[in-house]
């Protein structure tokens, strides 16, 4: 059994023991007359147990989260320090190497050129309409592009040169019998990140007793260091945890007196826990919004916000080489907004009538027996994973629609169309609308229905003239929530709507949505500096703003409606 | 007490010069397995107020709901026996409850105006029954009903406001106006004042007293004083049985049944 499980077990025993000790001590102090205690005896137990368990548990959790990483960085830092002399010799050799010094000065001058060009471009772009010289901007852009390519090239050759020299030194070191740990440290200091990471993962494998990809003396020494450090860290953390728990146990136990307000203290502790939980979720939300905001601001510093919001052309690929066609790097998001709006509209045209009508049937007409079966069955639809719906849209609905419209003479009909994505998304949304509408229709007081029946109205007259008008605000809220769900839906449209950013009103064409583009922009190889990747954040922020607005309106409306009948 | 005596109390002669509007004989009501009313028989006069009194759960509201077949809307409710309005049997499958309810209006315990304007609340019945051919006619019906309900003066300048914006007492009179807009013959009232303050109650009682001139009104009330003030006939229900039925003065001053006396004097209930 591992040390950590033993510590955890001991902690558990201490918590249970703390509860028991707190409780018995409280009872003993009043000689069994529990009514003389400020709180019920159990609260004294909870008080001791909470203080015993929590700080120690937090420490244990921190170890679980960061233990491996800190062992790793400790080991690497130690090895690098040992290779300090060898590294110094390496740098000295390089500084004395005229070829290398030449390379370095080239790199510096290229950096200066690129920076100068960037500043000039920014100045040119900021210029007023009259002074703006598009030709000059174009010229400077091309210059910038070529000097950037040169810069990248220079950077790579410097890296290659350094790696070459370092490898040579390592070979010599092995021949002259330099200690394996120093060689490992030197390697970790001077190899590139990917190879260092592979090296460390092999070392971790050896430390765990698994088979590494290659067996080197350097790896073995690193593995043994890793194991040592891991054991030291684990043992000291284990001791610390137990000590913390023991101190807390003894201290809180000594606090217990008949007049000690254990109940209030326990309550305060639980309140702190609850607050921490809610703050955590709020902070996460704020963090997400802020990160989107900052990345979007970087994007808008490259592409003006009005070009993004009102531009009619979306083509985020930026040409890397001169001869690439159709990759102009246009970031006008209107086609995406239009595609999102069209698919959402189609989805709503499907979901609102069907969902609303089934809600009316279920709540007003259906026999209770049928209702108890049908309602959960309808809600199962909400539990179907959206990727399954996407599948269904791509493989069943899409081809069917294409076949139907081709036979009707629409030769241009395609499989990945706005129509198939919208239809299937509508089916997915049905349970949202029906379930929420069913709830609001049921919340319409029976007295209103009775009043209508007593006037000699039939069931359908009552539904149309009394129940629906009374439930309308709630139904409106349900529809808004469903719309924001549809706008944010990703999987179905990724699979079924296609990728082409067409600005069209024809539902048989393939369109693309905000969410699809975010997926497309953030999958594959990324470069986080370019506007292509950054535009995903701007799209995400737009999406967030729209759905937030919808949800706020919906919640307001529903709330207002609740107040009216409660 | 013998059965003959009991029959005598139940079939009390109704005052002369008033026709029998509703005649009930041997009505039983079951909710599922539970019997809520046992063999109720009585004759209710036209152009008068008949009050049903009795402790909670005694079946008086259930009985009231038999008269416009509102029990049909409750699952598992079964009404047997004979209920006649003007000699026509209404507890019969061939009678359409929707048509019946157009001539038997009902006012509920809690004011329940529809989520519509004041005008549309009153126009609701006439519209669904097609009582008005033109807009002018409908305007006329709405105005007359509001006048009869004593609400016209208070709302004539804000007919487009929502019905729910009125005060509780006004809402209850609006609901009465809605009921009389279809020109019913019988108006049922289920504790119409129990959710109102004393001033609004006084107004509604005054209105009931006026409406008596033209309608047969049957009301359920928990207030003995209200029964004494506004009704001409009173029926006392207990545990699903009609215990005693007769002119209000007699019930309150000289009840024949011990249980009636105990209830009226507040000894149980």
């Amino acid at each position: 059994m591992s040390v950590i499980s033993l510590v955890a077990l001991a902690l558990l025993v201490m918590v249970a023991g703390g509860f028991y000790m707190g409780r018995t001590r409280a009872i003993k102090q009043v000689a069994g007359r529990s009514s003389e205690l400020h709180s019920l005896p159990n609260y004294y137990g909870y008080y001791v147990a909470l203080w015993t368990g929590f700080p120690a548990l937090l420490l244990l959790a921190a170890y679980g989260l960061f233990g491996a990483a800190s062992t790793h960085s400790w080991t690497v830092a130690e090895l690098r320090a040992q290779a300090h002399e060898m590294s110094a010799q390496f740098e000295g050799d390089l500084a004395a190497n005229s070829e290398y010094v030449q390379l370095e000065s080239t790199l510096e001058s290229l950096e200066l050129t690129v920076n100068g060009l960037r500043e000039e471009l920014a100045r040119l772009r900021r210029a007023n309409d009259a002074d703006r010289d598009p030709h000059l901007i174009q010229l400077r852009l091309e210059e910038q592009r070529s000097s950037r390519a040169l810069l990248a090239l220079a950077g790579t050759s410097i890296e290659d040169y350094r790696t070459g020299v370092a490898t040579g030194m390592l070979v010599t070191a092995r021949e002259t019998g330099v200690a394996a740990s120093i060689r490992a440290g030197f390697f970790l200091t001077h190899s590139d990140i990917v190879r260092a990471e592979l090296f460390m993962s092999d070392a971790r494998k050896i430390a765990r007793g698994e088979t590494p990809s290659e067996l080197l003396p350097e790896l073995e020494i690193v593995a043994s260091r890793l194991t040592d450090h891991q054991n030291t860290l684990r043992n000291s953390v284990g001791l610390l945890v137990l000590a913390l728990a023991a101190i807390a146990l003894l201290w809180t136990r000594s606090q217990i007196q008949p007049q000690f307000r254990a109940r209030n203290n326990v309550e305060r502790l639980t309140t702190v826990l609850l607050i921490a939980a809610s703050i955590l979720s709020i902070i996460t939300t704020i963090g997400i919004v802020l990160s989107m905001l900052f990345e979007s601001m970087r994007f808008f510093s490259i592409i003006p916000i009005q070009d993004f919001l009102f531009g009619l052309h979306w083509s985020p690929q930026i040409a890397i080489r001169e001869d690439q066609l159709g990759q102009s790097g246009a970031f006008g998001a209107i086609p995406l907004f239009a595609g999102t709006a069209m698919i959402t509209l189609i989805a709503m045209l499907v979901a609102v009538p069907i969902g609303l009508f089934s809600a009316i049937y279920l709540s007003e007409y259906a026999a209770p027996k049928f209702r108890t079966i049908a309602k959960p069955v309808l809600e199962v639809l909400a539990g179907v994973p959206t990727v399954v719906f996407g599948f269904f849209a791509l493989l069943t609905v899409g081809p069917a629609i294409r076949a139907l419209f081709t036979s009707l003479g629409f030769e241009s009909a395609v499989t990945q169309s706005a129509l198939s994505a919208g239809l299937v998304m509508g089916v997915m949304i049905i349970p949202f609308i029906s379930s929420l509408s069913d709830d609001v229709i049921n919340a319409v007081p029976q007295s209103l229905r009775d009043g209508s029946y007593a006037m000699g109205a039939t069931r359908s007259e009552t539904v149309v003239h009394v129940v629906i008008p009374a439930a309308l605000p709630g139904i409106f809220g349900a529809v808004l929530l469903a719309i924001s769900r549809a706008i944010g839906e990703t999987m179905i449209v990724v699979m079924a709507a296609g990728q082409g950013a067409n600005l069209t009103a024809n539902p048989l064409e393939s369109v693309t949505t905000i969410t699809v583009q975010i997926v497309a922009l953030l999958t594959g190889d990324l470069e986080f500096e370019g506007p292509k990747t950054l535009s995903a954040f701007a799209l995400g922020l737009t999406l967030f703003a729209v759905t937030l607005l919808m949800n706020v309106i919906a919640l307001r409306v529903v709330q207002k409606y609740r107040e009216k009948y409660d | 007490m013998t059965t003959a005596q009991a029959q005598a109390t139940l079939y009390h002669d109704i005052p002369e010069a008033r026709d029998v509007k509703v005649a009930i004989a041997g009505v039983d009501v079951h909710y599922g397995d539970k019997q809520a009313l046992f063999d109720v028989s009585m004759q209710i006069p036209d152009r008068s107020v008949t009050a049903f009194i009795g402790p909670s759960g005694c079946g008086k509201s259930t009985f009231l709901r038999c008269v416009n077949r509102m029990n049909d809307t409750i699952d598992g409710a079964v009404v047997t026996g004979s209920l006649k309005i003007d000699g026509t049997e209404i507890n019969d499958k061939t009678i359409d409850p929707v048509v019946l309810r157009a001539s038997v209006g009902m006012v509920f315990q809690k004011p329940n105006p529809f989520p519509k304007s004041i005008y549309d609340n009153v126009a609701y019945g006439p519209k669904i029954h097609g009582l008005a051919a033109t807009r002018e006619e409908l305007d006329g019906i709405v105005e007359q009903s509001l006048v009869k309900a004593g609400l016209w003066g208070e709302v004539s300048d804000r007919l487009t406001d929502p019905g729910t914006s009125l005060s509780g007492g006004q809402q209850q009179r609006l609901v009465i106006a809605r009921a009389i807009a279809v020109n019913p013959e019988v108006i049922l009232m289920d504790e119409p004042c129990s959710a109102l303050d004393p001033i609004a109650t006084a107004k509604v009682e005054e209105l009931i007293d006026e409406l008596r001139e033209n309608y047969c009104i049957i009301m359920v009330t928990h207030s003995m004083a209200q029964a004494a003030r506004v009704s001409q006939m009173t029926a006392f229900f207990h545990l699903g049985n009609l215990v005693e039925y007769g002119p209000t003065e007699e019930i309150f001053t000289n009840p024949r049944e011990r249980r009636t006396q105990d209830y009226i004097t507040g000894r149980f209930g």
Side-chain angles (χ1 to χ4, degrees):
Chain A
M1 197 187 254
S2 82
V3 176
I4 288 302
S5 358
L6 275 177
V7 168
L9 198 68
L11 189 60
L12 222 63
V13 171
M14 281 173 92
V15 168
F19 176 79
Y20 179 75
M21 278 162 77
R23 194 175 184 278
T24 42
R25 185 180 165 98
I27 295 175
K28 206 181 279 170
Q29 284 198 338
V30 288
R33 295 182 300 273
S34 323
S35 61
E36 284 175 22
L37 286 171
H38 172 269
S39 316
L40 288 173
N42 275 355
Y43 281 105
Y44 294 91
Y46 293 141
Y47 178 70
V48 176
L50 275 174
W51 273 113
T52 309
F54 255 102
L57 216 60
L58 278 182
L59 188 62
L60 211 57
Y63 172 73
L65 279 176
F66 307 115
S70 30
T71 315
H72 180 109
S73 47
W74 182 11
T75 312
V76 171
E78 195 191 55
L79 288 168
R80 279 182 181 166
Q82 280 186 359
H84 178 72
E85 276 175 32
M86 199 173 163
S87 294
Q89 193 199 337
F90 169 69
E91 296 294 345
D93 285 1
L94 281 179
N97 187 328
S98 63
E99 205 176 336
Y100 179 77
V101 173
Q102 179 69 39
L103 266 174
E104 255 189 344
S105 67
T106 317
L107 186 76
E108 262 168 42
S109 71
L110 274 170
E111 261 169 4
L112 282 176
T113 320
V114 169
N115 283 343
L117 277 169
R118 190 196 306 138
E119 274 161 28
E120 192 184 351
L121 262 172
R123 206 180 56 241
L124 285 171
R125 278 193 175 130
R126 267 200 306 274
N128 290 330
D129 288 342
D131 301 333
R132 219 179 146 97
D133 185 350
H135 185 70
L136 190 64
I137 292 181
Q138 195 59 39
L139 206 68
R140 290 284 177 271
L141 264 176
E142 273 161 26
E143 277 175 36
Q144 192 189 29
R145 196 175 295 153
S146 58
S147 32
R148 269 191 179 159
L150 280 174
L151 183 66
L153 200 66
T156 328
S157 27
I158 282 196
E159 282 307 312
D160 287 351
Y161 199 91
R162 288 176 68 96
T163 316
V165 174
T167 316
M169 278 186 79
L170 269 177
V171 173
T172 331
R174 197 175 294 150
E175 281 163 1
T176 53
V178 175
S181 62
I182 295 181
R183 279 185 279 141
F186 183 77
F187 175 73
L188 286 171
T189 320
H190 296 290
S191 80
D192 58 286
I193 298 172
V194 178
R195 284 174 61 199
E197 198 39 65
L198 280 173
F199 182 81
M200 285 308 287
S201 103
D202 267 344
R204 277 199 297 273
K205 271 186 187 163
I206 297 176
R208 278 200 303 267
E210 294 166 20
T211 324
S213 57
E214 57 182 334
L215 210 63
L216 296 172
E218 287 96 333
L219 279 174
E220 272 164 23
I221 191 99
V222 174
S224 77
R225 290 285 175 85
L226 271 175
T227 318
D228 286 352
H229 291 156
Q230 197 185 346
N231 288 344
T232 321
L233 190 69
R234 188 184 57 201
N235 294 346
S236 45
V237 166
L239 268 180
L240 204 61
V241 165
L242 292 183
L244 201 62
I247 291 169
L249 176 74
L250 292 176
W251 185 62
T252 47
R253 185 174 166 275
S254 74
Q255 279 184 314
I256 290 174
Q257 277 158 16
Q259 284 316 306
F260 180 68
R261 301 183 172 194
R263 188 156 59 132
N264 311 32
N265 276 304
V266 168
E267 208 148 288
R268 212 172 299 143
L269 275 177
T270 40
T271 317
V272 169
L273 283 182
L274 299 180
I275 290 173
S278 59
I279 284 179
L280 198 69
S281 61
I282 292 171
I283 286 179
T284 316
T285 315
I286 293 176
I288 292 173
V289 173
L290 284 185
S291 82
M292 281 203 299
L293 203 64
F294 285 124
E295 299 296 335
S296 304
M297 274 157 64
R298 278 174 66 192
F299 173 70
F300 290 133
S301 70
I302 303 169
I303 307 287
I305 188 164
Q306 63 271 18
D307 287 2
F308 173 74
L309 286 180
F310 305 114
L312 296 179
H313 189 59
W314 176 265
S315 168
Q317 298 300 333
I318 293 175
I320 302 168
R321 297 189 314 274
E322 295 291 324
D323 53 349
Q324 278 177 314
L325 290 175
Q327 306 205 318
S328 47
F331 291 94
I334 290 283
L336 309 190
F337 298 155
T340 307
M342 178 152 73
I343 289 180
T344 305
L345 182 73
I346 295 171
M348 286 300 128
L349 286 179
V350 174
V352 171
I354 296 181
L356 194 55
F357 290 167
S358 56
I360 291 171
Y361 175 71
L362 283 180
S363 58
E364 295 294 313
Y365 293 94
K369 236 183 209 167
F370 179 77
R371 187 184 143 84
T372 51
I373 297 168
K375 206 180 173 203
V377 169
L378 198 61
E379 279 163 5
V380 163
L381 209 54
V384 176
T386 53
V387 68
V388 175
F389 277 113
F391 220 78
F392 178 61
L394 183 64
L395 299 181
T396 312
V397 179
I401 286 174
R402 191 190 51 187
L404 175 69
F405 280 93
T406 315
S407 71
L408 289 176
F410 294 90
E411 293 299 333
S412 65
V414 289
T415 307
Q416 287 195 322
S417 64
L419 190 60
S420 74
L423 286 180
V424 174
M425 198 195 284
V427 172
M428 184 198 80
I429 302 280
I430 288 172
F432 279 81
I433 302 219
S434 73
S435 191
L436 287 169
S437 307
D438 185 58
D439 288 347
V440 292
I441 289 175
N442 273 327
V444 172
Q446 183 62 30
S447 67
L448 286 185
R449 292 189 188 89
D450 282 349
S452 177
Y453 292 143
M455 294 300 298
T458 62
R459 221 177 248 256
S460 44
E461 282 166 341
T462 304
V463 168
V464 172
H465 296 299
V466 176
V467 177
I468 297 291
L472 206 57
I475 292 171
F476 177 69
V479 171
L480 280 187
L481 284 179
I483 290 178
S484 71
R485 177 72 213 262
I487 291 176
E489 170 53 38
T490 312
M491 215 55 226
I492 294 177
V493 279
V494 164
M495 294 174 83
Q499 298 272 349
N502 299 321
L503 188 55
T504 174
N506 178 2
L508 295 177
E509 273 184 59
S510 96
V511 298
T512 190
T513 66
I514 299 176
T515 51
V516 170
Q517 283 307 311
I518 293 177
V519 170
L521 292 167
L522 292 184
T523 43
D525 288 339
L526 300 180
E527 41 140 0
F528 264 84
E529 292 307 311
K532 181 190 162 199
T533 311
L534 289 176
S535 68
F537 292 97
L539 288 176
L541 191 68
T542 318
L543 197 63
F544 175 76
V546 171
T547 47
L548 181 74
L549 189 73
M550 293 268 189
N551 285 358
V552 167
I553 296 175
L555 287 178
R556 272 289 173 81
V557 169
V558 172
Q559 211 170 24
K560 214 171 175 186
Y561 163 80
R562 281 226 185 91
E563 280 163 12
K564 211 157 110 193
Y565 288 115
D566 276 353
Chain B
M1 188 178 66
T2 65
T3 318
Q5 275 175 313
Q7 288 297 323
T9 38
L10 291 176
Y11 287 95
H12 195 282
D13 297 329
I14 61 171
E16 281 173 34
R18 284 187 185 132
D19 310 323
V20 173
K21 186 74 186 175
V22 186
I24 297 111
V27 166
D28 288 332
V29 178
H30 293 261
Y31 290 123
D33 298 335
K34 197 175 148 276
Q35 187 161 6
L37 267 188
F38 299 86
D39 190 25
V40 174
S41 304
M42 66 193 300
Q43 295 185 319
I44 295 169
D46 199 4
R47 293 169 203 286
S48 67
V49 178
T50 303
F52 293 172
I53 59 172
S56 294
C58 68
K60 53 195 188 307
S61 291
T62 299
F63 184 52
L64 193 73
R65 291 166 68 95
C66 291
V67 182
N68 65 347
R69 301 222 354 225
M70 278 296 274
N71 286 324
D72 288 14
T73 63
I74 298 170
D75 289 318
V78 179
V79 181
T80 53
S82 161
L83 284 133
K84 287 182 179 162
I85 294 181
D86 287 336
T88 311
E89 178 61 48
I90 60 158
N91 190 23
D92 190 304
K93 285 275 175 277
T94 58
I95 295 287
D96 183 0
V98 169
V99 175
L100 168 71
R101 286 178 205 142
S103 60
V104 182
M106 186 161 186
V107 174
F108 295 85
Q109 184 172 357
K110 236 180 103 186
N112 58 349
F114 300 139
K116 296 169 178 291
S117 70
I118 294 171
Y119 182 95
D120 284 334
N121 259 286
V122 182
Y124 184 75
K127 267 186 190 165
I128 59 174
H129 295 296
L131 298 185
T134 62
R135 180 82 193 181
E136 286 72 37
E137 263 182 76
L138 191 61
D139 288 349
I141 293 175
V142 169
E143 181 175 345
Q144 271 174 22
S145 310
L146 285 169
V147 168
K148 276 189 203 161
L151 200 58
W152 180 251
E154 290 159 60
V155 300
S156 59
D157 54 344
R158 51 184 182 123
L159 290 174
T160 52
D161 286 10
T164 44
S165 67
L166 298 173
S167 73
Q170 287 174 323
Q171 284 187 13
Q172 198 62 306
R173 281 181 284 149
L174 174 66
V175 170
I176 294 173
R178 185 175 77 189
I180 57 186
V182 290
N183 206 15
E185 296 167 35
V186 180
I187 300 176
L188 311 175
M189 298 187 178
D190 193 352
E191 299 179 41
C193 300
S194 65
L196 305 182
D197 67 32
I199 296 168
T201 301
K203 281 200 170 166
V204 172
E205 282 181 6
E206 203 178 306
L207 171 61
I208 293 171
D209 205 47
E210 284 167 22
L211 292 175
R212 168 165 74 87
E213 305 284 319
N214 297 306
Y215 302 96
C216 165
I217 295 174
I218 308 173
M219 66 186 287
V220 166
T221 177
H222 269 295
S223 157
M224 238 69 75
Q226 187 175 54
R229 278 196 301 269
V230 296
S231 73
Q232 284 73 52
M233 301 289 287
T234 297
F236 171 59
F237 287 80
H238 187 228
L239 298 175
N241 292 294
L242 173 58
V243 177
E244 187 167 353
Y245 174 51
T248 302
E249 309 97 77
E250 246 174 75
I251 295 276
F252 278 91
T253 53
N254 189 19
R256 302 181 191 194
E257 284 275 340
R258 181 63 192 269
R259 279 182 289 171
T260 316
Q261 183 159 18
D262 287 351
Y263 182 70
I264 288 166
T265 52
R267 240 166 282 169
F268 84 91

